[in-house]
Amino acid sequence: MSKPNKKRYKLSEVKTQMEEAVGGAVVEFETDKGDVLTFPHPLFTNDEWDEAVDSAETSHDKAVAILGEEQYEKYRAAGHGDSEIGLLMMAVQQDMQDQIRKRPTRR
């Protein structure tokens, strides 16, 4: 039984609300050659992805961990550098913070 004046969160609903607030569980971006690449939104990653990204020691290793080998090759072929992934991640995080601040607390 829930306590009066206390809110109880249902995890599946919270996840759905957060996905809607940030635009989905996957981030899409376009390279300068027009390729559309994707990676998991930082709020919705799995342990394996987190471990690979967190354990990356160089910008190159981090970019490969974020994109995966196949997408990384397309990314590099489009003329992009490893450090640009860091800029993209910063933009995603800033956008995420802005969207979450706007999210209504109740439906």
Side-chain angles (χ1 to χ4, degrees):
M1 186 165 136
S2 67
K3 297 179 182 179
N5 301 322
K6 290 279 190 171
K7 181 170 181 158
R8 177 178 289 168
Y9 294 92
K10 187 170 181 182
L11 291 177
S12 61
E13 290 176 7
V14 170
K15 182 178 179 187
T16 299
Q17 288 175 4
M18 296 307 284
E19 283 181 6
E20 290 172 3
V22 300
V26 175
V27 174
E28 288 186 356
F29 69 100
E30 187 174 331
T31 68
D32 289 346
K33 282 191 171 182
D35 294 317
V36 176
L37 306 179
T38 64
F39 59 89
H41 192 285
L43 283 177
F44 306 106
T45 59
N46 60 35
D47 292 342
E48 183 180 323
W49 191 89
D50 289 343
E51 177 63 30
V53 172
D54 291 345
S55 66
E57 294 185 13
T58 65
S59 295
H60 167 79
D61 293 343
K62 192 167 290 278
V64 171
I66 290 169
L67 296 176
E69 287 285 344
E70 185 177 320
Q71 289 193 117
Y72 177 77
E73 294 303 321
K74 290 179 182 178
Y75 173 80
R76 291 295 290 169
H80 297 287
D82 295 332
S83 63
E84 290 175 272
I85 289 293
L87 295 174
L88 179 60
M89 292 296 285
M90 287 176 59
V92 168
Q93 289 174 345
Q94 182 65 49
D95 186 49
M96 172 181 59
Q97 290 171 350
D98 292 345
Q99 294 304 319
I100 289 172
R101 281 189 202 110
K102 294 177 190 174
R103 183 181 74 87
T105 55
R106 294 183 187 254
R107 282 190 166 190

XYZ file of all heavy atoms in Angstrom:
851
model
N 0.833 -1.172 0.000
C 0.000 0.000 0.000
C 0.883 1.242 0.000
O 1.849 1.310 0.746
C -0.886 -0.022 1.243
C -1.890 1.071 1.273
S -3.130 0.672 2.512
C -3.253 2.240 3.267
N 0.559 2.198 -0.853
C 1.376 3.393 -0.907
C 1.025 4.349 0.222
O -0.084 4.343 0.747
C 1.208 4.089 -2.263
O -0.100 4.579 -2.382
N 1.984 5.170 0.580
C 1.785 6.141 1.641
C 1.096 7.375 1.075
O 1.351 7.765 -0.059
C 3.135 6.520 2.239
C 3.839 5.358 2.895
C 5.172 5.779 3.443
C 5.881 4.599 4.054
N 7.182 4.969 4.583
N 0.247 8.017 1.863
C -0.408 9.242 1.397
C 0.638 10.305 1.059
O 1.656 10.436 1.731
C -1.261 9.687 2.590
C -1.379 8.494 3.472
C -0.178 7.638 3.199
N 0.361 11.054 0.005
C 1.228 12.159 -0.434
C 2.621 11.722 -0.874
O 3.526 12.532 -0.940
C 1.331 13.235 0.652
C -0.018 13.795 1.014
O -0.869 13.983 0.146
N -0.237 14.026 2.288
N 2.813 10.465 -1.121
C 4.092 9.965 -1.623
C 3.893 9.486 -3.044
O 2.901 8.840 -3.349
C 4.620 8.790 -0.782
C 5.071 9.157 0.590
C 6.450 9.733 0.527
C 7.020 9.882 1.918
N 8.396 10.239 1.907
N 4.849 9.795 -3.900
C 4.755 9.340 -5.281
C 5.536 8.038 -5.421
O 6.635 7.914 -4.912
C 5.325 10.393 -6.222
C 5.223 9.975 -7.664
C 5.545 11.089 -8.602
C 5.393 10.546 -10.009
N 5.168 11.567 -10.978
N 4.936 7.099 -6.116
C 5.613 5.844 -6.404
C 5.899 5.827 -7.898
O 5.024 6.080 -8.708
C 4.733 4.657 -6.037
C 5.407 3.326 -6.401
C 4.584 2.153 -6.017
N 4.604 2.061 -4.560
C 3.794 1.268 -3.874
N 2.902 0.529 -4.478
N 3.861 1.225 -2.563
N 7.130 5.520 -8.268
C 7.541 5.489 -9.664
C 7.475 4.059 -10.191
O 7.883 3.122 -9.509
C 8.980 5.998 -9.822
C 9.118 7.452 -9.490
C 9.449 7.862 -8.206
C 8.923 8.424 -10.464
C 9.576 9.208 -7.902
C 9.043 9.772 -10.167
C 9.373 10.148 -8.879
O 9.490 11.485 -8.589
N 6.969 3.921 -11.374
C 6.987 2.638 -12.060
C 8.099 2.741 -13.096
O 8.052 3.586 -13.995
C 5.634 2.361 -12.723
C 5.543 0.969 -13.292
C 4.132 0.639 -13.715
C 4.087 -0.778 -14.247
N 2.744 -1.110 -14.713
N 9.110 1.880 -12.976
C 10.315 2.018 -13.786
C 10.049 2.020 -15.286
O 10.650 2.801 -16.026
C 11.333 0.943 -13.416
C 11.954 1.112 -12.037
C 12.904 -0.038 -11.736
C 12.674 2.433 -11.917
N 9.150 1.175 -15.742
C 8.886 1.140 -17.184
C 8.292 2.465 -17.659
O 8.608 2.932 -18.755
C 7.953 -0.021 -17.532
O 6.705 0.119 -16.867
N 7.472 3.090 -16.836
C 6.896 4.382 -17.204
C 7.944 5.487 -17.179
O 7.943 6.367 -18.039
C 5.733 4.730 -16.272
C 4.520 3.855 -16.485
C 3.398 4.137 -15.488
O 3.507 5.107 -14.695
O 2.412 3.390 -15.513
N 8.825 5.433 -16.184
C 9.903 6.429 -16.108
C 10.776 6.336 -17.354
O 11.106 7.355 -17.974
C 10.752 6.237 -14.834
C 12.003 7.096 -14.862
C 9.917 6.536 -13.597
N 11.140 5.121 -17.740
C 11.985 4.936 -18.917
C 11.288 5.483 -20.166
O 11.905 6.193 -20.957
C 12.339 3.463 -19.115
C 13.259 3.241 -20.293
C 13.649 1.787 -20.454
C 14.544 1.641 -21.665
N 14.843 0.269 -21.988
N 10.020 5.168 -20.325
C 9.271 5.656 -21.483
C 9.217 7.178 -21.495
O 9.436 7.811 -22.535
C 7.844 5.067 -21.486
O 7.936 3.652 -21.572
C 7.036 5.596 -22.652
N 8.950 7.779 -20.350
C 8.900 9.237 -20.256
C 10.246 9.860 -20.604
O 10.310 10.871 -21.305
C 8.480 9.672 -18.851
C 7.037 9.410 -18.544
C 6.692 9.746 -17.101
O 7.517 10.245 -16.341
N 5.464 9.467 -16.711
N 11.313 9.260 -20.113
C 12.648 9.805 -20.380
C 13.026 9.635 -21.849
O 13.630 10.531 -22.443
C 13.687 9.155 -19.464
C 13.450 9.467 -17.988
S 13.296 11.226 -17.621
C 14.984 11.704 -17.715
N 12.667 8.502 -22.446
C 12.924 8.313 -23.880
C 12.199 9.385 -24.686
O 12.778 9.958 -25.612
C 12.476 6.925 -24.338
C 13.421 5.817 -23.964
C 12.962 4.458 -24.462
O 11.959 4.369 -25.201
O 13.619 3.471 -24.109
N 10.961 9.655 -24.323
C 10.191 10.687 -25.022
C 10.823 12.064 -24.813
O 10.906 12.866 -25.743
C 8.742 10.693 -24.538
C 7.953 9.488 -24.983
C 6.572 9.394 -24.336
O 6.185 10.298 -23.562
O 5.880 8.392 -24.606
N 11.286 12.328 -23.604
C 11.864 13.643 -23.283
C 13.144 13.916 -24.066
O 13.386 15.045 -24.479
C 12.134 13.747 -21.784
N 13.959 12.878 -24.279
C 15.251 13.097 -24.946
C 15.243 12.704 -26.418
O 16.267 12.783 -27.088
C 16.415 12.382 -24.212
C 16.549 12.896 -22.787
C 16.255 10.866 -24.243
N 14.093 12.268 -26.929
C 14.000 11.971 -28.352
C 14.294 10.536 -28.736
O 14.492 10.235 -29.909
N 14.360 9.629 -27.785
C 14.551 8.220 -28.091
C 15.778 7.627 -27.438
O 16.619 8.336 -26.893
N 15.874 6.311 -27.526
C 16.970 5.575 -26.891
C 18.218 5.514 -27.763
O 19.249 5.008 -27.335
C 16.511 4.158 -26.549
N 18.120 6.038 -28.982
C 19.249 6.013 -29.920
C 19.512 7.430 -30.411
O 18.585 8.175 -30.709
C 18.937 5.084 -31.118
C 20.033 5.139 -32.163
C 18.734 3.656 -30.636
N 20.783 7.793 -30.475
C 21.198 9.087 -31.021
C 21.577 8.881 -32.481
O 22.345 7.974 -32.797
C 22.413 9.656 -30.250
C 22.941 10.925 -30.903
C 22.055 9.880 -28.792
N 21.032 9.695 -33.360
C 21.393 9.675 -34.783
C 22.144 10.954 -35.108
O 21.786 12.027 -34.625
C 20.150 9.631 -35.669
C 19.421 8.340 -35.683
C 18.283 8.335 -36.711
O 18.019 9.373 -37.359
O 17.658 7.278 -36.851
N 23.164 10.833 -35.943
C 23.844 12.020 -36.442
C 24.292 11.769 -37.870
O 24.406 10.624 -38.313
C 25.013 12.428 -35.542
C 26.187 11.475 -35.559
C 27.311 11.751 -36.330
C 26.167 10.322 -34.799
C 28.394 10.884 -36.340
C 27.247 9.448 -34.801
C 28.365 9.733 -35.576
N 24.527 12.842 -38.584
C 24.890 12.746 -39.999
C 26.320 13.222 -40.196
O 26.719 14.265 -39.682
C 23.937 13.609 -40.826
C 24.122 13.453 -42.312
C 23.058 14.207 -43.099
O 21.944 14.378 -42.588
O 23.372 14.602 -44.233
N 27.093 12.441 -40.958
C 28.455 12.846 -41.284
C 28.429 13.875 -42.414
O 27.402 14.104 -43.044
C 29.306 11.645 -41.737
O 28.816 11.189 -43.013
C 29.281 10.509 -40.725
N 29.564 14.472 -42.678
C 29.661 15.448 -43.770
C 29.467 14.808 -45.142
O 29.205 15.508 -46.113
C 31.005 16.178 -43.710
C 31.086 17.130 -42.527
O 30.034 17.431 -41.917
O 32.205 17.572 -42.194
N 29.558 13.478 -45.208
C 29.286 12.773 -46.472
C 27.838 12.325 -46.580
O 27.444 11.698 -47.551
C 30.205 11.554 -46.621
C 31.609 11.885 -47.059
C 32.342 10.618 -47.433
C 33.671 10.957 -48.074
N 34.381 9.745 -48.478
N 27.044 12.617 -45.563
C 25.626 12.264 -45.596
C 25.272 10.924 -44.988
O 24.093 10.540 -44.995
N 26.254 10.188 -44.457
C 25.951 8.921 -43.783
C 25.260 9.214 -42.456
O 25.672 10.108 -41.718
C 27.227 8.128 -43.491
C 27.939 7.659 -44.739
O 27.248 7.189 -45.664
O 29.180 7.774 -44.793
N 24.209 8.478 -42.150
C 23.542 8.598 -40.856
C 24.054 7.473 -39.963
O 23.905 6.295 -40.290
C 22.007 8.532 -41.005
C 21.335 8.568 -39.630
C 21.513 9.679 -41.880
N 24.665 7.859 -38.858
C 25.229 6.901 -37.911
C 24.481 7.007 -36.598
O 23.831 8.028 -36.322
C 26.719 7.186 -37.704
C 27.574 7.240 -38.976
C 29.026 7.549 -38.629
C 27.479 5.948 -39.762
N 24.571 5.970 -35.788
C 23.843 5.928 -34.525
C 24.704 5.379 -33.396
O 25.699 4.687 -33.640
C 22.589 5.041 -34.637
O 22.995 3.697 -34.892
C 21.643 5.525 -35.720
N 24.298 5.699 -32.195
C 24.848 5.065 -30.995
C 23.796 5.178 -29.900
O 22.880 5.996 -29.999
C 26.197 5.676 -30.573
C 26.173 7.147 -30.273
C 25.886 7.616 -29.000
C 26.442 8.073 -31.270
C 25.872 8.971 -28.721
C 26.449 9.428 -31.004
C 26.158 9.882 -29.723
N 23.897 4.361 -28.863
C 22.890 4.400 -27.801
C 22.905 5.746 -27.078
O 23.975 6.301 -26.833
C 23.309 3.285 -26.844
C 24.362 2.515 -27.518
C 24.915 3.343 -28.618
N 21.732 6.240 -26.753
C 21.675 7.457 -25.946
C 22.324 7.155 -24.601
O 22.104 6.073 -24.036
C 20.224 7.900 -25.753
C 20.122 9.265 -25.187
N 20.385 9.524 -23.862
C 19.835 10.447 -25.768
C 20.247 10.819 -23.643
N 19.907 11.401 -24.785
N 23.120 8.071 -24.054
C 23.818 7.797 -22.791
C 22.922 7.375 -21.628
O 23.377 6.664 -20.736
C 24.520 9.123 -22.485
C 24.738 9.740 -23.822
C 23.546 9.344 -24.649
N 21.659 7.747 -21.651
C 20.751 7.310 -20.586
C 20.318 5.853 -20.734
O 19.826 5.256 -19.784
C 19.478 8.171 -20.579
C 19.568 9.558 -19.984
C 18.231 10.276 -20.129
C 19.974 9.497 -18.516
N 20.488 5.292 -21.925
C 19.914 3.981 -22.213
C 20.950 2.964 -22.701
O 20.641 2.081 -23.486
C 18.787 4.127 -23.242
C 17.761 5.135 -22.820
C 17.699 6.371 -23.415
C 16.891 4.850 -21.777
C 16.768 7.313 -23.010
C 15.960 5.787 -21.353
C 15.899 7.021 -21.972
N 22.155 3.079 -22.219
C 23.210 2.142 -22.617
C 23.148 0.886 -21.761
O 22.523 0.857 -20.707
C 24.594 2.799 -22.464
O 24.772 3.186 -21.099
C 24.731 4.005 -23.368
N 23.859 -0.143 -22.233
C 23.945 -1.365 -21.425
C 25.325 -1.427 -20.763
O 26.215 -0.622 -21.064
C 23.662 -2.612 -22.271
C 24.633 -2.780 -23.417
O 25.819 -2.459 -23.311
N 24.148 -3.284 -24.540
N 25.501 -2.375 -19.871
C 26.751 -2.478 -19.108
C 27.959 -2.703 -20.016
O 29.039 -2.157 -19.766
C 26.659 -3.605 -18.081
C 25.675 -3.307 -16.962
O 25.320 -2.126 -16.774
O 25.247 -4.265 -16.286
N 27.793 -3.509 -21.055
C 28.897 -3.808 -21.969
C 29.372 -2.535 -22.679
O 30.567 -2.278 -22.774
C 28.443 -4.853 -22.991
C 29.522 -5.287 -23.950
C 29.003 -6.332 -24.933
O 28.195 -7.189 -24.526
O 29.411 -6.258 -26.105
N 28.428 -1.746 -23.188
C 28.772 -0.493 -23.877
C 29.448 0.463 -22.898
O 30.465 1.067 -23.214
C 27.510 0.124 -24.470
C 27.746 1.265 -25.413
C 27.942 1.187 -26.760
C 27.787 2.663 -25.091
N 28.103 2.448 -27.292
C 28.006 3.368 -26.282
C 27.655 3.379 -23.901
C 28.107 4.758 -26.326
C 27.754 4.763 -23.940
C 27.984 5.430 -25.146
N 28.879 0.596 -21.704
C 29.451 1.483 -20.685
C 30.884 1.093 -20.357
O 31.770 1.954 -20.276
C 28.632 1.438 -19.388
C 27.288 2.115 -19.509
O 27.065 2.894 -20.460
O 26.430 1.856 -18.633
N 31.121 -0.183 -20.177
C 32.459 -0.668 -19.829
C 33.456 -0.369 -20.955
O 34.572 0.077 -20.706
C 32.417 -2.166 -19.535
C 33.770 -2.784 -19.235
C 34.433 -2.235 -17.982
O 33.713 -1.836 -17.044
O 35.684 -2.193 -17.951
N 33.033 -0.615 -22.200
C 33.924 -0.359 -23.344
C 34.270 1.124 -23.449
O 35.433 1.488 -23.652
C 33.276 -0.847 -24.637
N 33.286 1.989 -23.280
C 33.521 3.432 -23.380
C 34.352 3.919 -22.193
O 35.316 4.671 -22.358
C 32.190 4.199 -23.489
C 32.409 5.701 -23.396
C 31.483 3.848 -24.796
N 33.987 3.477 -20.991
C 34.693 3.926 -19.790
C 36.142 3.450 -19.740
O 37.004 4.143 -19.192
C 33.966 3.467 -18.527
C 32.644 4.178 -18.321
O 32.401 5.218 -18.980
O 31.831 3.687 -17.499
N 36.417 2.285 -20.306
C 37.778 1.754 -20.246
C 38.654 2.231 -21.414
O 39.853 1.978 -21.414
C 37.760 0.223 -20.195
O 37.254 -0.303 -21.407
N 38.073 2.934 -22.364
C 38.851 3.452 -23.495
C 39.873 4.466 -22.982
O 39.538 5.362 -22.214
C 37.923 4.092 -24.519
N 41.118 4.307 -23.424
C 42.191 5.156 -22.908
C 42.545 6.312 -23.830
O 43.164 7.275 -23.392
C 43.424 4.303 -22.619
C 43.184 3.317 -21.497
C 44.431 2.543 -21.122
O 45.535 2.942 -21.550
O 44.292 1.545 -20.407
N 42.156 6.239 -25.097
C 42.484 7.300 -26.041
C 41.203 7.777 -26.726
O 40.172 7.110 -26.673
C 43.463 6.802 -27.119
O 42.795 5.798 -27.912
C 44.733 6.212 -26.517
N 41.301 8.927 -27.387
C 40.148 9.426 -28.149
C 39.745 8.431 -29.221
O 38.556 8.214 -29.463
C 40.483 10.763 -28.804
O 40.707 11.747 -27.842
N 40.735 7.811 -29.852
C 40.455 6.806 -30.881
C 39.670 5.637 -30.291
O 38.649 5.224 -30.831
C 41.754 6.310 -31.515
C 41.577 5.084 -32.352
N 41.071 5.127 -33.626
C 41.792 3.770 -32.077
C 40.996 3.906 -34.115
N 41.438 3.052 -33.184
N 40.182 5.096 -29.169
C 39.521 3.958 -28.531
C 38.097 4.310 -28.100
O 37.177 3.505 -28.234
C 40.314 3.477 -27.312
C 41.661 2.884 -27.690
O 41.867 2.538 -28.869
O 42.524 2.786 -26.784
N 37.905 5.525 -27.583
C 36.584 5.946 -27.141
C 35.637 6.075 -28.331
O 34.487 5.637 -28.274
C 36.671 7.265 -26.377
C 35.380 7.596 -25.661
C 35.543 8.715 -24.662
C 36.333 8.350 -23.457
N 35.638 7.645 -22.397
N 36.112 6.651 -29.441
C 35.278 6.794 -30.636
C 34.857 5.429 -31.170
O 33.699 5.228 -31.543
C 36.024 7.589 -31.708
N 35.779 4.483 -31.198
C 35.460 3.125 -31.660
C 34.460 2.468 -30.710
O 33.513 1.818 -31.147
C 36.739 2.267 -31.809
C 36.396 0.810 -32.084
C 37.619 2.819 -32.924
N 34.651 2.656 -29.402
C 33.732 2.062 -28.425
C 32.326 2.643 -28.576
O 31.341 1.924 -28.470
C 34.258 2.289 -27.010
N 32.232 3.925 -28.843
C 30.929 4.582 -28.977
C 30.225 4.150 -30.253
O 29.046 3.814 -30.248
C 31.084 6.115 -28.920
C 31.476 6.541 -27.495
C 29.809 6.827 -29.378
C 31.922 7.985 -27.377
N 30.966 4.143 -31.367
C 30.355 3.892 -32.674
C 30.374 2.438 -33.116
O 29.554 2.037 -33.952
C 31.064 4.717 -33.746
C 30.969 6.227 -33.617
C 31.801 6.897 -34.703
C 29.529 6.671 -33.680
N 31.330 1.668 -32.642
C 31.557 0.325 -33.175
C 32.464 0.435 -34.399
O 32.547 1.488 -35.034
N 33.145 -0.633 -34.725
C 34.148 -0.631 -35.804
C 33.578 -0.201 -37.156
O 34.153 0.630 -37.849
C 34.791 -2.019 -35.950
C 35.746 -2.391 -34.846
C 37.083 -1.686 -34.927
O 37.429 -1.126 -35.989
O 37.785 -1.689 -33.902
N 32.456 -0.792 -37.551
C 31.908 -0.532 -38.881
C 31.502 0.938 -39.051
O 31.851 1.578 -40.037
C 30.706 -1.440 -39.137
C 30.146 -1.311 -40.544
C 28.993 -2.283 -40.771
O 29.077 -3.436 -40.314
O 28.015 -1.848 -41.409
N 30.781 1.464 -38.085
C 30.379 2.865 -38.173
C 31.578 3.792 -38.039
O 31.625 4.857 -38.664
C 29.333 3.214 -37.107
C 27.984 2.608 -37.372
C 26.932 3.236 -36.486
O 26.022 3.845 -37.008
N 27.063 3.122 -35.174
N 32.550 3.396 -37.224
C 33.743 4.221 -37.057
C 34.463 4.400 -38.393
O 34.926 5.498 -38.719
C 34.688 3.611 -36.013
C 35.963 4.402 -35.867
C 35.970 5.600 -35.156
C 37.150 3.977 -36.463
C 37.139 6.346 -35.029
C 38.309 4.713 -36.340
C 38.301 5.895 -35.631
O 39.448 6.638 -35.518
N 34.533 3.344 -39.174
C 35.185 3.431 -40.488
C 34.461 4.425 -41.394
O 35.092 5.221 -42.090
C 35.263 2.049 -41.143
C 36.174 1.064 -40.421
C 37.597 1.560 -40.252
O 38.138 2.204 -41.185
O 38.177 1.318 -39.170
N 33.136 4.406 -41.399
C 32.354 5.374 -42.183
C 32.593 6.792 -41.671
O 32.711 7.742 -42.454
C 30.859 5.056 -42.118
C 30.461 3.811 -42.861
C 28.966 3.573 -42.718
C 28.556 2.295 -43.418
N 27.119 2.028 -43.260
N 32.636 6.929 -40.376
C 32.867 8.215 -39.719
C 34.218 8.802 -40.149
O 34.309 9.964 -40.543
C 32.796 7.989 -38.205
C 33.167 9.160 -37.348
C 32.265 10.185 -37.105
C 34.422 9.229 -36.755
C 32.603 11.250 -36.295
C 34.765 10.286 -35.941
C 33.855 11.295 -35.716
O 34.195 12.349 -34.920
N 35.250 7.969 -40.099
C 36.595 8.428 -40.491
C 36.668 8.689 -41.994
O 37.310 9.648 -42.439
C 37.656 7.408 -40.075
C 37.868 7.308 -38.586
C 38.427 8.567 -37.989
N 39.816 8.694 -38.443
C 40.563 9.767 -38.293
N 40.084 10.840 -37.722
N 41.795 9.801 -38.734
N 36.022 7.854 -42.795
C 36.018 8.034 -44.249
C 35.350 9.353 -44.643
O 35.660 9.917 -45.696
C 35.312 6.858 -44.924
N 34.476 9.848 -43.779
C 33.816 11.130 -44.044
C 34.696 12.315 -43.634
O 34.302 13.464 -43.785
C 32.485 11.191 -43.308
N 35.876 12.004 -43.114
C 36.830 13.056 -42.775
C 36.743 13.579 -41.354
O 37.331 14.613 -41.037
N 36.052 12.872 -40.499
C 35.895 13.328 -39.118
C 36.995 12.768 -38.222
O 37.441 11.641 -38.403
C 34.527 12.924 -38.582
C 33.404 13.551 -39.331
N 33.087 14.884 -39.214
C 32.543 13.045 -40.237
C 32.079 15.168 -40.004
N 31.719 14.067 -40.642
N 37.381 13.557 -37.240
C 38.409 13.160 -36.291
C 37.818 12.574 -35.020
O 36.641 12.786 -34.702
N 38.655 11.865 -34.303
C 38.219 11.197 -33.082
C 37.671 12.180 -32.044
O 36.704 11.884 -31.346
C 39.364 10.393 -32.472
C 39.793 9.238 -33.367
O 38.950 8.728 -34.124
O 40.975 8.855 -33.290
N 38.264 13.359 -31.954
C 37.830 14.315 -30.929
C 36.425 14.859 -31.186
O 35.757 15.323 -30.259
C 38.821 15.471 -30.837
O 38.856 16.184 -32.060
N 35.956 14.791 -32.428
C 34.610 15.279 -32.728
C 33.529 14.447 -32.045
O 32.434 14.949 -31.772
C 34.371 15.317 -34.234
C 35.182 16.403 -34.925
C 35.021 16.344 -36.423
O 35.790 15.612 -37.069
O 34.110 17.034 -36.931
N 33.826 13.196 -31.765
C 32.869 12.359 -31.028
C 32.661 12.940 -29.637
O 31.544 12.968 -29.118
C 33.343 10.885 -30.955
C 33.229 10.226 -32.319
C 32.548 10.097 -29.917
C 31.812 10.043 -32.806
N 33.733 13.427 -29.028
C 33.611 14.074 -27.719
C 32.705 15.295 -27.781
O 31.879 15.512 -26.891
N 32.841 16.079 -28.827
C 31.975 17.245 -29.003
C 30.520 16.825 -29.179
O 29.612 17.444 -28.622
C 32.430 18.062 -30.215
C 33.809 18.707 -30.115
C 34.182 19.350 -31.442
C 33.834 19.728 -28.987
N 30.316 15.773 -29.962
C 28.965 15.261 -30.172
C 28.354 14.780 -28.858
O 27.195 15.074 -28.543
C 28.986 14.140 -31.211
C 27.654 13.467 -31.527
C 26.638 14.474 -32.061
C 27.869 12.345 -32.526
N 29.134 14.057 -28.066
C 28.637 13.566 -26.778
C 28.284 14.728 -25.853
O 27.276 14.683 -25.143
C 29.669 12.644 -26.116
C 29.862 11.324 -26.844
S 28.390 10.284 -26.852
C 28.403 9.690 -25.170
N 29.097 15.786 -25.877
C 28.797 16.963 -25.059
C 27.477 17.599 -25.501
O 26.659 18.006 -24.672
C 29.934 17.975 -25.133
C 31.160 17.540 -24.367
S 32.556 18.672 -24.550
C 31.881 20.191 -23.934
N 27.259 17.687 -26.813
C 26.015 18.253 -27.339
C 24.816 17.402 -26.925
O 23.770 17.941 -26.539
C 26.096 18.377 -28.861
N 24.966 16.092 -26.999
C 23.876 15.180 -26.598
C 23.570 15.361 -25.117
O 22.406 15.444 -24.713
C 24.236 13.714 -26.919
C 23.273 12.744 -26.253
C 24.272 13.496 -28.424
N 24.604 15.433 -24.290
C 24.393 15.585 -22.852
C 23.744 16.928 -22.523
O 22.850 17.000 -21.684
C 25.706 15.412 -22.101
C 26.173 13.972 -22.121
C 27.536 13.777 -21.512
O 28.298 14.720 -21.301
N 27.873 12.525 -21.239
N 24.178 17.991 -23.211
C 23.572 19.307 -22.977
C 22.104 19.294 -23.377
O 21.248 19.791 -22.651
C 24.328 20.384 -23.761
C 23.783 21.777 -23.538
C 23.948 22.250 -22.113
O 25.021 22.159 -21.557
N 22.884 22.756 -21.520
N 21.821 18.715 -24.536
C 20.438 18.623 -24.997
C 19.602 17.790 -24.018
O 18.473 18.143 -23.696
C 20.385 18.022 -26.399
C 18.988 18.044 -26.981
O 18.337 19.108 -26.931
O 18.542 16.997 -27.482
N 20.178 16.701 -23.529
C 19.480 15.841 -22.581
C 19.134 16.625 -21.319
O 17.995 16.578 -20.846
C 20.360 14.636 -22.226
C 19.843 13.766 -21.106
S 20.941 12.373 -20.714
C 22.462 13.190 -20.267
N 20.080 17.367 -20.785
C 19.825 18.150 -19.577
C 18.737 19.195 -19.825
O 17.857 19.393 -18.990
C 21.109 18.813 -19.096
C 22.100 17.817 -18.552
C 23.465 18.421 -18.276
O 23.746 19.554 -18.649
N 24.319 17.655 -17.625
N 18.792 19.852 -20.968
C 17.776 20.854 -21.303
C 16.397 20.222 -21.413
O 15.413 20.777 -20.910
C 18.116 21.561 -22.620
C 19.342 22.448 -22.511
O 19.784 22.749 -21.376
O 19.874 22.834 -23.575
N 16.304 19.070 -22.070
C 15.005 18.402 -22.250
C 14.449 17.878 -20.935
O 13.248 17.958 -20.695
C 15.114 17.259 -23.268
C 15.410 17.722 -24.671
C 14.388 18.715 -25.174
O 13.201 18.585 -24.965
N 14.866 19.754 -25.839
N 15.300 17.372 -20.077
C 14.843 16.840 -18.795
C 14.331 17.970 -17.909
O 13.331 17.821 -17.217
C 15.957 16.024 -18.108
C 16.167 14.720 -18.888
C 15.609 15.735 -16.654
C 17.351 13.918 -18.446
N 14.977 19.122 -17.966
C 14.498 20.267 -17.191
C 13.100 20.688 -17.615
O 12.315 21.172 -16.811
C 15.454 21.451 -17.355
C 16.672 21.342 -16.511
C 17.472 22.638 -16.550
N 18.831 22.350 -16.194
C 19.865 22.386 -17.019
N 19.701 22.748 -18.266
N 21.067 22.086 -16.605
N 12.781 20.513 -18.905
C 11.480 20.908 -19.438
C 10.401 19.862 -19.181
O 9.224 20.139 -19.321
C 11.572 21.114 -20.958
C 12.438 22.261 -21.356
C 12.511 22.315 -22.872
C 13.565 23.294 -23.332
N 13.726 23.246 -24.794
N 10.812 18.644 -18.842
C 9.876 17.527 -18.692
C 8.919 17.777 -17.531
O 9.324 18.081 -16.427
C 10.658 16.242 -18.423
C 9.790 15.003 -18.324
C 10.634 13.776 -18.038
N 11.115 13.715 -16.675
C 10.444 13.190 -15.652
N 9.244 12.702 -15.829
N 10.964 13.141 -14.463
N 7.631 17.624 -17.791
C 6.677 17.771 -16.682
C 6.876 16.643 -15.679
O 7.234 15.527 -16.031
C 5.312 17.650 -17.370
C 5.566 17.027 -18.685
C 6.998 17.291 -19.055
N 6.633 16.948 -14.413
C 6.849 15.941 -13.366
C 5.709 14.947 -13.279
O 5.880 13.861 -12.772
C 7.035 16.612 -11.990
O 5.900 17.447 -11.745
C 8.297 17.411 -11.958
N 4.551 15.310 -13.773
C 3.399 14.408 -13.738
C 2.703 14.428 -15.085
O 2.722 15.411 -15.781
C 2.418 14.824 -12.666
C 2.976 14.691 -11.290
C 1.896 15.054 -10.284
N 2.465 15.082 -8.961
C 2.252 14.157 -8.062
N 1.494 13.137 -8.333
N 2.789 14.244 -6.869
N 2.073 13.333 -15.421
C 1.306 13.243 -16.667
C -0.067 13.775 -16.464
O -0.673 13.759 -15.468
C 1.227 11.804 -17.158
C 2.501 11.397 -17.822
C 2.282 10.091 -18.498
N 3.404 9.919 -19.394
C 3.465 8.997 -20.288
N 2.496 8.157 -20.446
N 4.490 8.881 -21.069
